[in-house]
Amino acid sequence: MLNQSKAKQKGVALIIFALIFALAATAFLISGLDGTSLKKERQKRTAFALADAKAALIGYALKSGILTGADRPGDLPCPDTNHDGSSETSCPGNAIGRLPWRTLGLADLRDEYDERLWYAVSANYKKNPKIGKLNSATNGTISLRDSTGTIIRNGTTATAAIAVVISPGNPLTRQDGVVQNRIVANYDNALHYLDNFDSVDNSKDEDNSGFVETSTNGFISGLIKDASNAVVLNDSIIAINYGDLMPLLEKRVANEVKKRLTDLGGLPLAVPFTNPSTLSNNFAPVKATNQGLLPVYPHYWFSIDSNPSYITYSGNVNFSDVKSGFLEPGFCEQSGSQIVCSGRKKMMLGATAFWRNISININGILNAANSFPSSNMIGSLTINDVRISDGITIGAGAITPTPTTKISISPTISTNFPVWLTTNDWHHEIYYAVANSFVYSASYPPVCGSCLSVNYNGGVIANVGAITLVAGRKLSSTLYQPITPQNRPSANLYDYYDTFNNQVGGVTYDWNRVLSKTFNDQLVVITQ
């Protein structure tokens, strides 16, 4: 037993010796670092925390709006004001508080002084309540100065920051006399964490504990010392700027449009380009229009109602087909007393999906109002059902009402796009082009005849079926018109798109050109 006890004591002694040795080695390594090196290592922790927070906020904004509901791409969370790590459900203007790290899916980020980060967000980008529309024309509203007091982000101009993340640093005595005391009772009081700066002539004064949107009253990033070399401001700040977020957001929107269009099963025609703010056709596709505005309502169909007792059938087409709004995508048009609806329908034959062209032709007498599409017509209705693969007519049907029976046609528009697209006017900035071979009424699968092409990385992508362009915010100069600023809203393509992307009837488009002060179009190829 005595020997065992001695053995245990020796084992413990070895562990203690090893621990002392490790501590001594660590102390030796630390002693080998000078004060500057230690400071740099500590500053890295702050820099990494700020960078992680910025990346997480941008990721949050890009993912917002994926699900249905009021959320929109670009939304940023409200700050945390009760130190639980979660965003508040609503926040006022001039919103400032703690970084909502739980909401962002982050670890509990700390700066070099083990302090949690602070965060302020522009009203134009906050999730709730939403202020105005959020699209490529939406600027931030927050000002930011560097350590010299120079404004580098002006809240009154397009350079404004969208959000800022702040490392509060060590407590100090603010220049307004407040002695920062970071006890629990002061945990959510910005005065005890964020500093202020009084410049000699008051022209560069700033208080990081509060800001005013759309003004030069914003934030200032340190380190700042006074004439006696005492630190008066040690807040470190990183900003999310328009250029950090919006190009990624525009690409997200363009890809969302691509997905929704390809989900239709067939690509619609376009809307003739005109001033999007005054367009009167509900952004519905128009016959023989291959380039123009995005057809936000590609399902532009009409419910056709009649008394089934007056309907005759032939082939395999029946009245329930007509009533169901089965065609996607498509449109109706009127020429005199004739109404023609055409499109295509995806059918299932066993487990195999195939496409059929469907056309509806109505000839008759317009009602007294002589209006369309909300007209009542007396006349005949015929249906032709054609298989796309070989052009064979599958069936034809007819509805022949009595003279006292009316066929009522009323508009039923629907969209495949998320609500945020139209509520935030993204569709006012999106251009769409489709080759004839890829339009829904064409053969399937599409075979390129005269298709689009795209300039890409110094080469050309040929046989492109369709593209979409998202206009960046308006520029004061473009490669196309170097001395004339873009003006919106407008009926001119060159006020939205740059280089030859703005040519009416164009078949070649620019992609992957470096975004610059004279070019900011975002192009996505929809299909080839």
Side-chain angles (χ1 to χ4, degrees), residues 240-395:
I240 296 177
N241 304 312
Y242 181 96
D244 298 323
L245 176 60
M246 190 53 67
L248 299 175
L249 209 58
E250 291 165 347
K251 189 69 75 174
R252 151 82 200 279
V253 170
N255 279 301
E256 185 83 31
V257 168
K258 172 181 178 177
K259 177 182 183 301
R260 301 304 178 108
L261 285 174
T262 52
D263 282 351
L264 289 173
L267 295 175
L269 287 162
V271 183
F273 188 89
T274 186
N275 186 331
S277 67
T278 59
L279 184 69
S280 59
N281 87 327
N282 288 320
F283 287 83
V286 173
K287 186 177 182 180
T289 304
N290 292 83
Q291 304 96 6
L293 292 166
L294 179 71
V296 177
Y297 295 100
H299 298 274
Y300 200 88
W301 285 102
F302 300 81
S303 59
I304 303 174
D305 300 316
S306 182
N307 187 331
S309 64
Y310 296 107
I311 298 170
T312 59
Y313 307 93
S314 65
N316 67 341
V317 181
N318 57 48
F319 182 68
S320 62
D321 284 333
V322 182
K323 286 196 62 167
S324 66
F326 58 92
L327 305 169
E328 60 172 336
F331 60 89
C332 295
E333 64 178 352
Q334 176 194 7
S335 177
S337 62
Q338 184 182 33
I339 298 171
V340 178
C341 302
S342 60
R344 71 187 212 170
K345 179 182 180 180
K346 195 170 189 177
M347 306 285 290
M348 294 298 295
L349 183 60
T352 304
F354 62 98
W355 288 96
R356 279 156 51 174
N357 278 333
I358 309 283
S359 65
I360 302 172
N361 298 280
I362 302 172
N363 287 280
I365 303 169
L366 291 174
N367 65 359
N370 195 34
S371 62
F372 182 81
S374 58
S375 309
N376 291 326
M377 296 192 66
I378 299 175
S380 62
L381 181 149
T382 60
I383 306 168
N384 294 306
D385 185 356
V386 179
R387 189 166 56 205
I388 289 177
S389 59
D390 55 14
I392 293 176
T393 298
I394 304 300

Side-chain angles (χ1 to χ4, degrees), residues 92-96 120-121 123 126 210-214:
N94 310 316
I96 186 170
V121 60
K126 65 183 180 181
F211 72 106
V212 178
E213 298 193 74
T214 320

Side-chain angles (χ1 to χ4, degrees), residues 131-154:
I131 306 296
K133 301 178 186 297
L134 201 170
N135 55 40
S136 61
T138 304
N139 293 322
T141 58
I142 300 175
S143 288
L144 176 63
R145 298 175 187 268
D146 64 18
S147 58
T148 69
T150 302
I151 294 178
I152 55 176
R153 296 292 161 191
N154 191 324

